[in-house]
Amino acid sequence: MVAMSKIATGNGHGENSPYFDGWKAYETNPFHPTERPEGVIQMGLAENQLCFNLIKNWLIKHPEASLCTPQGVNKFKETALFQDYHGMPEFRQAVAKFMGKVRGDRVKFDPDRIVMSGGATGAHEMVAFCLADPGEAFLVPTPYYPGFDRDLKWRTGVELVPVNCESCNNFKITRNALEAAYVKVQEANLRVKGLLITNPSNPLGTVLDRDTLKSMVRFINDKNIHLIGDEIYASTVFMEPEFVSISEIIEEEDVECNRDLIHIVYSLSKDMGFPGFRVGIVYSYNDSVVSCARKMSSFGLVSSQTQHLIASMLSDDEFVDNFITESKELLFNRHKYFTWSLSQVGIGCLKGNAGLFIWMDLRKLLKEETFAAEMELWRVITNEVKLNVSPGSSFHCQEPGWFRVCFANMDDYTMKVALLRIRTFMLKNNEAMVPLKLCRPSSLKLSLSRSLSRRMDDFMSPGIMSPHSPLPQSPLVRART
């Protein structure tokens, strides 16, 4: 056999993680309401599918935004030809403006600091290449997104060192935890180059408060290390407290900070629901990082056709304002419906107000408080309950028994099938409850039959309605209107 590189033959991608194993189980036997009603339901994909009707309606009204329509074909040639890797000016301007709107227009972003990449994956790797050499380290509070082990480590050779956070204080990031991790890295003779935070948090579905953000800025300033703020879920905050960006913190008078140390990773994959468009953004306050990242961006540019469409869409202020409001409302309703349903079968969750997932607490179902017991429970959920949920250990959680469950990547019917499966599973652990039977759909139509609707009405509290039924507005949306 011809020898291959260490990167090619190594396990740096992390594909053997349970996080990816659950995806394989789904891909082998994906749920379909009629063709595979016993298939695995995908609850491991953090994807926002609740707003596509809003996008569809805008596209119908603006066919000129697509180059593949009679109305847009006149711009095909100029868009299809070579584009500077700085990105189209109108694209950068539209994205910068959208980033400001998502943050309540409390801060403005400079289009000249917008560097595009192939999704947040490419953006994170780009930042790692700019800031660290192989063998140097970034601190990352736990639990954190499993893909970081691939995105930041695999090809760059940098190390990620967990900052252990605990459930006893709702996984709050403390200065003591940061200092302990910093000392641990130094004892291992590694150089710390930065702190990576995710705000809103994946997988917790929570936001960092202003005091915690200030504490982290003081920490990185004292240590003279970089701060990378992953803010790709910024517009998914559907309840108070509001999202506070690191870009707001460094503007405050009582915060002393070297801005050359501050960098933001953003994308449209979560906030707009466009993961397939691969629109990633690096926004740095460091001129040298902007310059270097822009050169590196040639390895993962956003297609000019996508830039043209995104620029057109995000330049429509009325659409953007409506989209942000409606998206929050839909996420609020779905989250409320989902978490209440889980509570009725004795499942608790970390209190969250953001993201496309919940952090589900199944510690009481473990045979023992070990990660081996967590994996045993995860295999039952995957192979018998037929749900792809992600075990906390794959997120480097230090306490066994937590699972991330995504709720926004499916239609109403699939969600209710998943909830019924969870209920049936819990009944095996509580014989006092009576399981409900599912009435399967007779066609590909995903609307609920009257029979199933009645069954679900019995299952749900009278006070909790369908995610698309009229509900009191979320406190955050209500405060803005």
Side-chain angles (χ1 to χ4, degrees), residues 206-254:
T206 57
V207 294
L208 295 174
D209 61 76
R210 195 174 295 273
D211 288 340
T212 299
L213 288 167
K214 288 182 179 181
S215 174
M216 287 190 287
V217 169
R218 284 192 289 269
F219 172 76
I220 64 104
N221 213 47
D222 290 346
K223 306 296 185 185
N224 195 34
I225 61 176
H226 296 276
L227 176 60
I228 306 169
D230 180 317
E231 298 185 351
I232 68 173
Y233 291 94
S235 191
T236 68
V237 180
F238 48 81
M239 279 196 304
E240 294 179 338
E242 288 189 321
F243 168 69
V244 180
S245 171
I246 197 66
S247 58
E248 298 175 55
I249 296 299
I250 63 175
E251 296 281 354
E252 298 193 1
E253 293 182 358
D254 62 337

Side-chain angles (χ1 to χ4, degrees), residues 25-41 386 413-414 417 421 438 440-441 444:
Y26 166 76
E27 291 169 356
T28 301
N29 182 28
F31 170 81
H32 187 278
T34 57
E35 296 178 8
R36 286 196 187 91
E38 306 302 324
V40 177
I41 295 177
K386 303 288 186 179
Y413 178 79
T414 303
V417 174
R421 289 184 183 182
L438 173 66
R440 296 176 185 168
L444 291 177

Side-chain angles (χ1 to χ4, degrees), residues 323-378:
F323 180 91
I324 291 174
T325 300
E326 290 294 322
S327 176
K328 291 178 185 294
E329 190 74 12
L330 291 168
L331 288 171
F332 171 76
N333 292 343
R334 176 64 70 90
H335 180 271
K336 182 178 181 180
Y337 185 87
F338 200 90
T339 54
W340 189 91
S341 302
L342 293 180
S343 73
Q344 299 309 292
V345 293
I347 297 177
C349 307
L350 182 71
K351 185 177 181 180
N353 68 322
L356 311 173
F357 31 72
I358 55 102
W359 192 232
M360 183 169 68
D361 184 1
L362 297 184
R363 287 176 292 178
K364 65 182 181 182
L365 297 184
L366 298 182
K367 293 181 179 179
E368 56 185 14
E369 293 183 14
T370 65
F371 288 111
E374 176 183 277
M375 292 309 299
E376 181 180 354
L377 176 59
W378 172 76

